[in-house]
């Protein structure tokens, strides 16, 4: 009886999974080395994966500039699953979006930013009485590159000596997939996020035919 139940659960899990030939979207964030590797593999995938866009970001905060990259892909599920494994084994953040999710949650946005900024932004959205939900989230575990800003007066040898200490993994980068309940609130959410220096991917701006 127990074995029969296990077989039923296994079969249900297989049915619920995306088909390997289904096309999915994903966003991957991390340092430039990881995203360079992902971009190369996407280009070499024989048209099974398309790069929708890639961004290199420099955020200037107080004494430091934080540098990171993110990329959005559309491709066959089997390829996207492979990219997820590469991403996670190299300390990146990964969010996957399926056609079913887009059909059921029409007001979707992905936020990309350091974790502390994301949390403050989510709190601000909530304080504005906007009804929304976080459907998925992920964080980097590898380092995000940081540099001392030009205005910080230190000798070059001192900056070089300090670099290993500020290129550390405590600069956590987050991805969150947000669903806004009411379409009229989308512009408000985008405005709050943009003012917080968060990069917003609005699925209304993505060509679903890609």
């Amino acid at each position: 009886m127990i074995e029969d139940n296990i077989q039923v659960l296994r079969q249900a899990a297989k049915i619920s999974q995306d088909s390997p030939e289904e096309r999915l979207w994903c966003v991957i964030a991390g340092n430039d080395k990881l995203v360079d590797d992902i971009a190369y593999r996407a280009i070499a995938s024989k048209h099974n994966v398309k790069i929708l866009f890639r961004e290199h970001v420099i955020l200037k905060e107080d004494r430091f500039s934080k540098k990171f990259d993110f990329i959005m892909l559309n491709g066959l599920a089997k390829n996207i699953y492979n990219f997820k494994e590469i991403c996670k084994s190299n300390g990146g953040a990964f969010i996957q979006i399926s056609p079913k999710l887009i059909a059921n949650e029409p007001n979707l946005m992905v936020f990309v930013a350091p974790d502390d900024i994301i949390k403050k932004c989510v709190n601000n959205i909530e304080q504005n009485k906007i009804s929304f939900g976080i459907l998925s989230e992920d964080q980097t575990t590898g380092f995000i590159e940081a540099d001392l800003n030009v205005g910080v007066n230190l000798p070059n040898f001192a900056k070089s000596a300090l670099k290993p200490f500020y290129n550390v993994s405590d600069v956590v980068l987050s991805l969150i997939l947000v669903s806004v309940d009411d379409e009229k609130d989308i512009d408000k959410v985008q405005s709050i996020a943009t003012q917080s220096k968060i990069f917003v991917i609005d699925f209304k701006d993505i060509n679903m035919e890609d």
Side-chain angles (χ1 to χ4, degrees), residues 48-180:
N48 287 334
V49 179
K50 293 181 180 180
I51 299 174
L52 302 184
F53 61 82
R54 176 191 176 164
E55 295 288 340
H56 177 67
V57 181
I58 301 176
L59 287 181
K60 292 186 177 180
E61 298 178 351
D62 299 326
R63 297 181 179 181
F64 297 102
S65 294
K66 300 173 183 177
K67 301 178 182 180
F68 60 89
D69 287 45
F70 65 94
I71 190 169
M72 186 171 190
L73 306 173
N74 173 259
L76 296 180
K78 58 185 179 182
N79 295 90
I80 298 301
Y81 296 153
N82 184 44
F83 286 163
K84 179 179 181 179
E85 293 300 318
I86 296 168
C87 174
K88 300 312 296 179
S89 64
N90 288 278
F94 177 96
I95 281 183
Q96 173 183 305
I97 307 97
S98 70
K100 296 174 187 175
L101 185 60
I102 293 172
N104 294 328
E105 301 283 349
N107 303 321
L108 290 176
M109 289 182 280
V110 176
F111 291 177
V112 188
D115 189 61
D116 57 338
I117 295 177
I118 291 281
K119 289 177 179 176
K120 289 179 183 177
C121 177
V122 168
N123 185 56
N124 287 340
I125 295 171
E126 186 179 22
Q127 289 178 350
N128 278 269
K129 309 299 183 183
I130 297 172
S131 183
F132 72 106
I134 297 175
L135 304 183
S136 182
E137 61 180 322
D138 198 21
Q139 293 82 32
T140 57
T141 57
F143 81 90
I144 302 303
E145 186 179 354
D147 279 328
L148 287 169
N149 286 332
V150 175
V152 178
N153 294 319
L154 282 176
N156 288 333
F157 76 87
K159 291 182 179 181
S160 298
L162 287 172
K163 189 164 186 176
F165 296 98
Y166 54 79
N167 274 343
V168 291
S169 59
D170 61 353
V171 182
V172 177
L173 191 65
S174 284
L175 294 177
I176 63 170
L177 178 62
V178 175
S179 175
V180 181

